[in-house]
Amino acid sequence: MREYLKFYIDGAWVDPAEGLKTLDVENPATEEVAGKIALGSAADVDRACKAARKAFDSWSQTSREERLEVLGRIMTEYQKRFGDLATAVTEEMGAPANLAQRAQVPIGLGHLGTAIEVLKTFKFEEDRGPTMIVKEPIGVCGFITPWNWPLNQIVCKVAPAIATGCTMVLKPSEVAPFSGHIFAEIMHAAGVPAGVFNLVHGDGPTVGAAISSHPEVDMVSFTGSTRAGIEVAKAAAPTVKRVAQELGGKSPNIVLDDDAFAKGVGRGVATMMTNSGQSCNAPTRMLVPSKRMDEAIAVARETAAGVTVGDPNGNSQLGPVVNKTQFDKIQKLIQAGIDEGATLVIGGVGRPEGLDKGYYVKPTVFANVTNEMTIAKEEIFGPVLSILGYETVEQAIDIGNDTEYGLAAYVQSGDLEKARKVAAKLRAGQVSINGGGGDMMAPFGGYKMSGNGREWGDYAFHEFLETKAMLGYAPKQAAE
C-alpha cells in the first residue's frame, strides 16, 4: 500500500496546509485500493507558487551550462528509478508491464535527452541590426497532467521548462499519481534547486483551478479532455496568462486503395488498440474504400482477435482501462454504436470472457459507420475502432476533416507520393504516413478543439519563452 501524504514544495516534503484529506487510488486490474494520496488545497498551491516565484529570480539567470548539468543529473536519477516508475505506471493505470517498460517510462527519458540536445545549441538571442531580440523564460509555470501517458506528459513539460529557465508547480492526475510522486523524488535526488520544481497532489476543481487562476502563475500547460481544457482557460483568463493545451482527438486514418491495403488496415487496428485505446492521438476513425469494406472487416477482425487482454503483469497486450468511470463511458458508447446501426465486427459490451474483475474492455471494431454516428464523433478513449467507407479520396479527406478535433491523422498507402498529397490536406497538428513516428523532435499539438501550442523538441522551448526586443542595442556610429 503506497501512501503519498506530503507535497514537494520549496525543496522539501511538507504536510498539507489545511489538514490531511486523502484520496484512495485504485488499481484498475484488481479494483482494489493500491494506495492513497493527500489532497491539496488552494493554500498548498499558493505556497508552491510563491516558492516557484522566489526561485525564479535566481534560476532564470542561470547559464546554459548550469541548466544542462541539472538536466543531466535528472536523467541519471530517472534511469536509477526506471523499474520503480514502470511498476507504478502499471499499478496506477493498468498499462501492461511490457508497454510500461518499452514505452511509458522510456519516453520520459526521451524528452529529457531531447531537451538536453536542443538546449546545447538553442539561440536565446538574435541580432537584428540595431535591435537585439532576446528569448527569456516566461516565469512560473503551472502543469496539469493526465493519467493515460503520465510520465510522457509530465516530462514533455518539465524538461523544456527547466531548460529555458522557468520554475514550476505540477499537479499530476489524481487518478494515476504514483509515477508523478516518484518523479518528484527524482527531482529532489537530482539536486534541482529549491522552489524550481514543486508538486501538489489534488483534483482538478480544487488544485487544478487554483493553479490556473493563481496570479503568480505566468503560464499554464494542460493536457486532458477538451471539456476540462475549456475550464482551465476560463480560470486563467482573468490573469491573462499564457495557456497551452493538448486536448482531445478523433483522428482519421485514411487507407488508400492499393496493394498495401491489407497491411494498412492491420497496422491501423494494432495502433488503435495500443494502451487500451487510451491515447488522445489514437487512429479511431479508419476510412476505407466502400468497395473494399468487406476486406477491411476481415483483416480488422483477424487483427483484433489476436489482441490478448488480461493481467497487465502477465504477457497480455491490453490491460484494463483506468477506472470504472471510463469503463462505464466506453460501454455506453459501444452500446450506442450497436443501437445506431453500425456493424459490430468483433467485441461489444461487457468484459472479455474469463475476466470478471478489473476494468477490462473487449477489443471492439465497428464497420459501416457513418460520420454522424455517436461513435464517429465522440472521443471514446478505449479500444474501440470505427471503420467508415468512402467513394473517392476527396470524400475521404472531407470526412477526415469533418470533426471538431484536429490533433492527429494517419494515411496508409503503398504510393508514398499519393500519401503525401492526402496528408497535406488533413487539418491536424501531426500526420503519420505509413506508421511513421518516434521523432522526439517533431512538434505535437492540435488544430481546432484539440488545443493550442506545441510540445516536444525545440517547438516546446518556445512555449516557455517570452520575446523581448531591445531597440538601440547596437546603435550606428554617428557620422564624423
Side-chain angles (χ1 to χ4, degrees):
M1 179 73 70
R2 299 173 188 262
E3 289 193 346
Y4 295 146
L5 306 182
K6 294 180 182 288
F7 308 136
Y8 187 70
I9 298 175
D10 206 15
W13 293 100
V14 301
D15 293 323
E18 298 183 347
L20 182 61
K21 297 178 182 178
T22 64
L23 175 72
D24 289 340
V25 179
E26 189 179 19
N27 182 329
T30 64
E31 300 183 41
E32 296 173 356
V33 175
K36 62 177 59 178
I37 58 169
L39 287 174
S41 64
D44 296 302
V45 172
D46 187 60
R47 283 197 297 171
C49 290
K50 287 176 177 175
R53 174 60 60 197
K54 182 177 68 174
F56 180 72
D57 287 344
S58 57
W59 181 248
S60 63
Q61 299 304 308
T62 53
S63 67
R64 184 193 309 265
E65 290 69 29
E66 288 173 300
R67 298 199 292 273
L68 281 168
E69 183 180 348
V70 169
L71 283 167
R73 295 202 305 265
I74 296 169
M75 197 167 184
T76 297
E77 295 299 327
Y78 190 106
Q79 289 169 322
K80 290 179 183 177
R81 300 296 299 274
F82 189 102
D84 295 337
L85 290 168
T87 299
V89 170
T90 296
E91 191 174 308
E92 67 191 357
M93 56 79 61
N98 63 352
L99 180 68
Q101 291 163 0
R102 65 179 172 81
Q104 289 271 6
V105 179
I107 199 167
L109 278 176
H111 288 303
L112 286 166
T114 298
I116 288 170
E117 289 306 308
V118 172
L119 180 55
K120 287 177 181 177
T121 58
F122 191 86
K123 292 183 179 180
F124 291 96
E125 297 180 351
E126 178 189 354
D127 285 316
R128 287 195 177 183
T131 300
M132 173 66 76
I133 307 296
V134 181
K135 298 285 188 178
E136 297 182 337
I138 195 169
V140 176
C141 302
F143 297 149
I144 303 170
T145 59
W147 48 260
N148 60 321
W149 286 88
L151 289 164
N152 171 60
Q153 290 306 141
I154 288 172
V155 188
C156 80
K157 300 179 194 301
V158 170
I162 290 284
T164 52
C166 294
T167 58
M168 65 215 70
V169 179
L170 167 68
K171 187 201 90 65
S173 170
E174 71 275 21
V175 174
F178 298 157
S179 55
H181 196 93
I182 293 170
F183 185 79
E185 294 175 350
I186 289 168
M187 298 293 275
H188 183 73
V192 176
V196 171
F197 172 88
N198 304 272
L199 175 142
V200 178
H201 288 298
D203 60 23
T206 305
V207 173
I211 289 173
S212 302
S213 61
H214 201 285
E216 291 288 2
V217 172
D218 300 291
M219 180 263 200
V220 60
S221 178
F222 171 81
T223 300
S225 70
T226 297
R227 175 197 55 77
I230 291 169
E231 295 305 312
V232 167
K234 287 179 179 178
T239 49
V240 199
K241 56 173 59 72
R242 185 181 299 175
V243 178
Q245 299 173 317
E246 192 262 280
L247 308 175
K250 196 67 182 175
S251 304
N253 180 13
I254 297 176
V255 185
L256 297 180
D257 185 8
D258 56 37
D259 291 342
F261 180 80
K263 182 178 180 181
V265 171
R267 181 192 290 128
V269 174
T271 303
M272 173 64 237
M273 299 298 169
T274 301
N275 205 39
S276 296
Q278 300 173 123
S279 299
C280 47
N281 62 340
T284 53
R285 292 183 298 145
M286 180 181 291
L287 286 86
V288 303
S290 297
K291 64 184 179 182
R292 301 189 74 168
M293 179 65 74
D294 289 346
E295 185 181 348
I297 288 172
V299 174
R301 180 186 291 113
E302 181 181 0
T303 305
V307 177
T308 56
V309 186
D311 182 1
N313 288 301
N315 295 318
S316 59
Q317 295 166 281
L318 262 63
V321 296
V322 73
N323 58 21
K324 187 176 188 300
T325 299
Q326 288 298 121
F327 178 85
D328 290 346
K329 173 191 172 186
I330 294 164
Q331 297 301 311
K332 182 179 179 181
L333 286 165
I334 291 173
Q335 187 61 53
I338 295 170
D339 293 344
E340 292 178 18
T343 302
L344 181 62
V345 174
I346 192 170
V349 295
R351 291 183 175 90
E353 186 177 349
L355 296 170
D356 57 4
K357 180 182 280 189
Y359 303 118
Y360 296 98
V361 176
K362 297 174 183 176
T364 298
V365 176
F366 285 102
N368 297 306
V369 176
T370 66
N371 220 33
E372 292 72 39
M373 291 182 180
T374 303
I375 56 173
K377 292 190 295 184
E378 292 193 21
E379 186 176 36
I380 300 173
F381 231 61
V384 182
L385 173 66
S386 297
I387 305 179
L388 299 83
Y390 66 84
E391 301 303 324
T392 66
V393 173
E394 289 71 24
Q395 185 189 34
I397 293 167
D398 288 343
I399 295 171
N401 288 333
D402 183 18
T403 172
E404 64 184 13
Y405 298 113
L407 184 60
Y410 300 75
V411 185
Q412 318 285 340
S413 177
D415 187 326
L416 182 57
E417 189 55 36
K418 285 185 179 179
R420 287 170 174 166
K421 289 179 179 178
V422 172
K425 295 180 181 179
L426 292 170
R427 297 278 295 167
Q430 195 171 89
V431 184
S432 173
I433 298 173
N434 292 333
D439 183 356
M440 297 296 294
M441 289 289 185
F444 186 74
Y447 288 21
K448 299 185 280 187
M449 293 191 77
S450 286
N452 50 64
R454 292 295 181 268
E455 297 182 315
W456 297 42
D458 58 315
Y459 280 82
F461 277 45
H462 294 286
E463 295 297 324
F464 299 105
L465 295 169
E466 286 281 23
T467 302
K468 175 187 288 182
M470 291 192 282
L471 287 73
Y473 189 87
K476 295 178 181 179
Q477 295 296 319
E480 295 183 0

